[in-house]
Amino acid sequence: MLASVALTAAVAGPKAPRKGHGPAAQAERPGVPRYGMAVYSDLCVNQESGEYGGQRVTLQRFAEVDTVVYEFTAGGLSWPLVAVDVNVDPRGKMIYFTVQPPDEDERTISGEFSPDGETLTLDGGYCQDQSQPMVLAKVKDFGAKAKSCKACPQPKAEPVKPDYKHEAVAPAQG
């Protein structure tokens, strides 16, 4: 009888917290959390045309697999593209995935999460000279109105090189 009471007390007793788990441990880990869902977006509205610009990445992290739904703009918002070959590194700092837009070649998109997981910076950039990085902020207010798009800076003029003309020179005689 005493043994069964001791066994019951041992089973029903409080559990000691496991190291490396829980909110405190997650706060110590940089990057994107291992489980859950996050939406990163830089969608904006062009004030002149009213068209959307930018991209949105919806990342879902499950125990079995990570998934991504990718949306981009080309005048209007694209149909959501379900990515294949989704890879988030074990530290939650980098991501790459592959999408195939309709009537286009397959492309791989890659980027890096900020240390706090609040932004996703995709490789490449906006504008012709790619001077504006593609930084997508983590969406926290899904009812918020889209921001105004920023115009690309004017391209820098290439320095004018003097146009040298070569004149025929008579061979030296001597």
Side-chain angles (χ1 to χ4, degrees):
M1 170 97 170
L2 185 58
S4 67
V5 171
L7 180 61
T8 303
V11 171
K15 291 184 178 179
R18 296 185 327 183
K19 290 186 179 182
H21 293 81
Q26 183 61 49
E28 294 172 9
R29 265 182 290 200
V32 68
R34 175 60 195 104
Y35 301 104
M37 181 173 150
V39 178
Y40 294 89
S41 175
D42 67 353
L43 290 178
C44 58
V45 176
N46 182 314
Q47 293 305 308
E48 293 176 17
S49 68
E51 294 180 335
Y52 278 93
Q55 333 177 54
R56 180 168 40 209
V57 174
T58 302
L59 172 64
Q60 300 172 69
R61 305 202 71 197
F62 301 104
E64 307 82 21
V65 68
D66 295 327
T67 66
V68 165
V69 175
Y70 176 70
E71 297 166 274
F72 66 98
T73 60
L77 197 57
S78 72
W79 287 101
L81 302 172
V82 177
V84 296
D85 194 25
V86 177
N87 290 280
V88 178
D89 79 308
R91 298 167 300 151
K93 293 183 178 184
M94 297 187 303
I95 184 172
Y96 69 87
F97 55 90
T98 303
V99 293
Q100 174 132 27
D103 304 324
E104 291 183 31
D105 290 336
E106 184 177 86
R107 60 180 155 169
T108 298
I109 298 170
S110 59
E112 189 171 326
F113 295 102
S114 62
D116 61 3
E118 293 298 308
T119 61
L120 170 60
T121 303
L122 299 178
D123 293 344
Y126 289 121
C127 305
Q128 290 177 345
D129 61 358
Q130 297 196 1
S131 61
Q132 291 186 6
M134 296 184 283
V135 180
L136 285 63
K138 190 176 197 177
V139 177
K140 295 180 180 176
D141 180 1
F142 291 94
K145 196 173 178 184
K147 297 177 183 176
S148 295
C149 295
K150 295 178 184 175
C152 286
Q154 292 295 323
K156 295 177 184 172
E158 301 257 341
V160 178
K161 296 180 182 178
D163 192 21
Y164 294 106
K165 292 184 179 180
H166 295 78
E167 295 180 18
V169 177
Q173 298 198 5

